[in-house]
Amino acid sequence: MGASLSSLTESESTAANGGRPSLGDIPENCVACVFMYLTPPEICNLARLNRSFRGAASSDSVWDSKLPVNYHQLLDVLPLRENYECVRKKDIFAALSRGVAFDDGNKEVWLDRISGRICMSISTKAMLITSGEDRRHWNWFPTEESRFHVVAYCQQVWWFEVSGSVKFPFPPDIYTLTFRVHLGRFHKRLGRRVCNFEHTHGWDLGPVRYELFTSDGQHSVSEYSIHDSDQDDASAYLKRGGNWIEYKVGEFIVSSSDPATEVRFSMKQIDCTHSKGGLCVDSVSITPSDLKARKRKGVGVSTYQ
């Protein structure tokens, strides 16, 4: 059976295969119809089999089914370097899946390479941080662990508040918004990653409140204590291992990409009876809710990819 399959894939046509049928005999439009039900990685792998499959893998009809329904809107609002009016849909998918930075490089949007759905990340550089300009309270330091290569570090504050917004033509879907944070400050020493919890304090004295609002009236509120041992011991694991975690703020539904949806979000702990500090805030992520598994109660250990 393996030998028969090998002969099918190695020959381009029946004539070249001694009269026996081969994959090269399948009409390109039939192959394209099958490709419409496959994922982009599967299509790219099968395109290596023969000329017919390569032709089908470049078909606009195939890649039009993988692009968001409003991809024309995305091309209009994103600062792409090329004019994509005469470019193949396959190349448009490739450009969007690589990620496109906008808003002075402080926001980035990309297509998930499996599903073709929109994901977004927003740097703390694009957010409003209370006392963020005061070096006694907040600092910025470069790191390869962030998509934006820089994170905000809260050294010590009494009023902790980070907020931001984004207005974007999200395709219709259900989205989850999360904050990506890290307890303690990390650095490299002799090639090894080391975490310093010297300034970490105050987070066990009260929960952090997360909120999101959308322009069509949706509202979600969540509260988590970073030291809450009931959250699958995620916080204890974070402090021991010094990992990034994502706290789920909530979900919102987009039913139409026109008009564009505006999302406002915040993370705050404003109990001024005690100070708090020693926390890195990297970014906010907006992804389709079922795109990746989340740990229970909205807490998930993560690494930048």
Side-chain angles (χ1 to χ4, degrees):
M1 180 176 177
S4 299
L5 181 59
S6 176
S7 64
L8 281 173
T9 59
E10 289 174 358
S11 301
E12 290 286 348
S13 66
T14 301
N17 199 30
R20 291 177 296 175
S22 71
L23 290 179
D25 294 321
I26 304 177
E28 188 175 302
N29 61 335
C30 292
V31 177
C33 289
V34 175
F35 280 2
M36 293 176 70
Y37 294 92
L38 303 181
T39 66
E42 291 171 337
I43 294 171
C44 292
N45 286 333
L46 289 173
R48 296 179 292 182
L49 288 177
N50 57 47
R51 187 181 306 156
S52 176
F53 278 48
R54 284 194 297 273
S58 297
S59 169
D60 275 356
S61 62
V62 170
W63 291 98
D64 188 62
S65 66
K66 310 304 175 188
L67 288 165
V69 293
N70 68 329
Y71 76 90
H72 287 291
Q73 281 182 287
L74 303 181
L75 297 179
D76 289 338
V77 301
L78 294 174
L80 295 165
R81 297 180 179 179
E82 301 180 48
N83 183 354
Y84 283 94
E85 292 184 3
C86 302
V87 175
R88 295 180 304 176
K89 302 289 180 64
K90 176 182 178 181
D91 296 326
I92 296 176
F93 184 95
L96 292 176
S97 65
R98 284 192 295 267
V100 182
F102 64 105
D103 192 14
D104 296 325
N106 293 324
K107 298 173 184 175
E108 186 172 347
V109 66
W110 66 94
L111 295 186
D112 174 68
R113 295 185 180 183
I114 303 296
S115 65
R117 296 157 77 186
I118 280 290
C119 303
M120 179 181 290
S121 188
I122 304 168
S123 169
T124 43
K125 280 286 188 181
M127 303 180 202
L128 178 63
I129 302 176
T130 301
S131 303
E133 301 300 322
D134 192 330
R135 296 290 298 273
R136 296 172 300 174
H137 302 304
W138 287 87
N139 290 292
W140 298 87
F141 68 93
T143 174
E144 295 179 356
E145 298 187 14
S146 169
R147 179 180 296 274
F148 302 98
H149 307 293
V150 65
V151 298
Y153 177 67
C154 174
Q155 185 160 306
Q156 180 175 351
V157 295
W158 293 83
W159 183 294
F160 176 90
E161 184 171 3
V162 179
S163 61
S165 65
V166 62
K167 187 174 184 179
F168 193 78
F170 291 99
D173 211 329
I174 302 175
Y175 296 90
T176 293
L177 188 146
T178 60
F179 270 89
R180 186 171 187 255
V181 304
H182 185 293
L183 201 62
R185 180 165 180 167
F186 53 91
H187 61 278
K188 288 286 185 71
R189 178 185 296 170
L190 300 177
R192 299 184 62 183
R193 188 178 188 272
V194 179
C195 291
N196 185 341
F197 300 101
E198 177 185 359
H199 300 119
T200 304
H201 69 283
W203 303 108
D204 56 333
L205 300 178
V208 176
R209 181 181 177 90
Y210 303 84
E211 282 189 274
L212 75 79
F213 301 85
T214 66
S215 51
D216 61 355
Q218 298 178 68
H219 178 216
S220 182
V221 180
S222 300
E223 288 191 352
Y224 306 111
S225 175
I226 295 180
H227 285 267
D228 188 351
S229 59
D230 292 333
Q231 297 179 23
D232 297 331
D233 290 328
S235 300
Y237 176 79
L238 170 66
K239 188 165 185 177
R240 288 197 305 269
N243 288 279
W244 290 96
I245 58 172
E246 294 182 359
Y247 282 95
K248 178 179 175 180
V249 180
E251 295 182 341
F252 63 94
I253 301 172
V254 176
S255 55
S256 174
S257 58
D258 188 16
T261 302
E262 182 178 8
V263 184
R264 292 178 288 121
F265 46 85
S266 65
M267 171 186 181
K268 62 181 71 173
Q269 216 289 9
I270 56 177
D271 181 355
C272 295
T273 61
H274 65 276
S275 66
K276 65 281 297 180
L279 185 74
C280 295
V281 184
D282 173 34
S283 60
V284 159
S285 294
I286 299 176
T287 58
S289 294
D290 60 348
L291 193 58
K292 61 179 180 179
R294 307 278 184 180
K295 284 184 177 276
R296 287 181 302 156
K297 297 187 179 181
V299 181
V301 179
S302 70
T303 57
Y304 163 63
Q305 298 178 343

